[in-house]
Amino acid sequence: MPRPILATVHPEGLRHNLAQARVRAPDARVWAVVKANAYGHGIERAFEALRGADGFALLDLAEAERLRALDWRGPILLLEGVFEPRDLELCSRLGLWHAVHCDEQIDWLAAHKTQQSHRVFLKLNSGMNRLGFTPGAFRAAWARLSALPQVDEIAFMTHFSDADGPRGIDHQVAAFEAATADLAGERTLCNTAAMLRHASRPLRGVGVSTLAADWVREGIALYGSAPDYPENSAAHWDLQPTMTLSTRVIGTQRLQAGDTVGYGSTFTADGPLHIGVVACGYADGYPRHAGTGTPVLVNGVRTRLVGRVSMDMITVDLSPLDAAGVPAGIGSEVVMWGVSPSTGAVLPVDEVARAAGTISYELLCAVAPRVPFAPV
């Protein structure tokens, strides 16, 4: 039989989470963000559950081709725009909308020979200081784009750096309002955190009234994770898990006080301890820096990782199962994050990520190619 590790995508969770975007921003259209292969879920596995979105947003032209191959005929937005002039040919052929964030992209458009006019999203650097035109250069970029016959409609976008934290978004919203004042065109400001926390905030603009108009970009919430964890949990935002990483116990050991576990002997038992050896390691995408205490479910019972994560195995404490009278041994079900198939118990990916010193995005995206996915 194959090694017992398995990733499972939950379409019902994806559909539920997409519906929550409609609840949070009822007057907006929703971009389902499927960059990084739908945050590790697989575009083809997630597509049917997400096709109720108004459009898909991503980075990679090959991923855009995959969506068109799935017979998606609605909008697709390239969030970083094109990377070289010839990419515009594919945008014309596939009908892709694309961000414009630098003068070079405008130069490429000006030189592009096409019968198909382009719809672009002019990006403002409102304080994130990654991509986008500064407020001082924004109007000139808009004027250049407006003069191009290759450009049909110009919409406006920005990206928030602190929508999930105490600094908030006021300074960036003010910059956006000033830069786009009196300019007609659709707006997209809300990322996931802004959609959940700030969607109803008033926005001064042409034909818009709230921050959520006209489009919201739903990313991590689609995949069952709270962008502002631990302040708020996925349950607080009524989000459901969309991926389970499960495996099995493949061996057991009985330790005595003073016995150590794994490479580097980073864990020492302080008394008798029953441990399980689990088929999962950093070659499967589970983070090596996850330390003793990182939560795990065994047969639906919450327990902890002990010792160091190795390439193919981890070790977990089976004592809580012994104390609860739940049998545990070779073949016992282990959930690294997600939903226990046997009991329905949930281990939120946010909790695992925080214990490992990272974020859920990394865990979901890092599931390794050698891990099989269950058929959807």
Side-chain angles (χ1 to χ4, degrees):
M1 65 174 289
R3 186 164 170 266
I5 193 167
L6 184 70
T8 303
V9 171
H10 307 297
E12 67 281 4
L14 290 165
R15 282 189 287 268
H16 172 88
N17 297 339
L18 177 60
Q20 288 304 110
R22 305 289 190 193
V23 172
R24 302 288 172 182
D27 299 323
R29 283 167 287 173
V30 179
W31 293 111
V33 181
V34 293
K35 62 182 180 176
N37 200 23
Y39 287 52
H41 290 63
I43 286 174
E44 287 77 9
R45 284 183 287 271
F47 175 69
E48 285 298 327
L50 297 180
R51 71 181 307 156
D54 299 290
F56 288 92
L58 41 69
L59 309 182
D60 191 271
L61 284 162
E63 292 184 339
E65 289 183 297
R66 288 161 61 190
L67 279 170
R68 291 297 189 221
L70 291 167
D71 202 31
W72 174 254
R73 295 293 173 256
I76 298 175
L77 173 62
L78 299 175
L79 289 166
E80 294 179 358
V82 297
F83 302 105
E84 61 180 9
R86 66 179 180 177
D87 292 346
L88 292 168
E89 298 172 10
L90 196 59
C91 289
S92 294
R93 179 161 62 84
L94 297 180
L96 307 181
W97 303 1
H98 50 100
V100 172
H101 61 76
C102 62
D103 284 316
E104 288 80 2
Q105 290 175 329
I106 301 178
D107 294 339
W108 300 340
L109 269 168
H112 179 50
K113 294 179 174 58
T114 181
Q115 300 292 323
Q116 180 76 35
S117 58
H118 287 236
R119 182 161 182 177
V120 301
F121 277 70
L122 181 60
K123 186 163 189 175
L124 174 71
N125 173 11
S126 59
M128 183 77 151
N129 289 316
R130 295 193 311 189
L131 301 180
F133 292 92
T134 63
F138 190 80
R139 288 278 176 153
W142 174 82
R144 286 191 66 199
L145 284 172
S146 298
L148 293 182
Q150 294 91 338
V151 174
D152 179 13
E153 294 183 47
I154 303 173
F156 307 105
M157 67 186 301
T158 195
H159 192 62
F160 296 125
S161 58
D162 294 275
D164 57 348
R167 188 183 186 195
I169 62 172
D170 287 352
H171 61 296
Q172 290 189 258
V173 172
F176 184 87
E177 289 176 333
T180 61
D182 304 321
L183 296 182
E186 293 183 346
R187 272 80 166 148
T188 176
L189 289 89
C190 284
N191 56 3
T192 297
M195 179 190 71
L196 294 176
R197 296 167 64 101
H198 306 289
S200 61
R201 183 196 189 283
L203 178 69
R204 296 196 307 271
V206 178
V208 297
S209 58
T210 67
L211 198 68
D214 299 281
W215 291 85
V216 295
R217 307 186 301 274
E218 187 179 22
I220 194 61
L222 275 179
Y223 306 102
S225 171
D228 53 355
Y229 185 85
E231 179 182 347
N232 291 301
S233 67
H236 171 85
W237 296 119
D238 192 14
L239 303 173
Q240 295 181 3
T242 61
M243 182 196 288
T244 294
L245 183 63
S246 60
T247 182
R248 298 280 174 180
V249 173
I250 60 171
T252 62
Q253 297 289 341
R254 294 280 181 176
L255 306 186
Q256 301 302 316
D259 287 344
T260 63
V261 177
Y263 287 119
S265 300
T266 59
F267 175 81
T268 302
D270 57 8
L273 188 67
H274 186 195
I275 65 167
V277 182
V278 173
C280 182
Y282 59 76
D284 301 300
Y286 194 80
R288 183 179 181 275
H289 51 269
T292 294
T294 302
V296 180
L297 294 180
V298 179
N299 289 343
V301 177
R302 182 178 289 245
T303 183
R304 58 177 180 148
L305 182 153
V306 293
R308 181 174 289 171
V309 175
S310 59
M311 181 182 288
D312 308 303
M313 290 176 279
I314 63 171
T315 45
V316 300
D317 181 2
L318 298 179
S319 301
L321 286 87
D322 296 339
V326 177
I330 292 177
S332 290
E333 171 196 280
V334 181
V335 171
M336 310 310 297
W337 65 74
V339 184
S340 165
S342 63
T343 70
V346 175
L347 178 58
V349 65
D350 289 321
E351 290 189 36
V352 179
R354 183 169 175 81
T358 185
I359 55 176
S360 61
Y361 307 66
E362 183 178 9
L363 296 188
L364 297 173
C365 291
V367 175
R370 78 173 186 173
V371 175
F373 274 79
V376 175

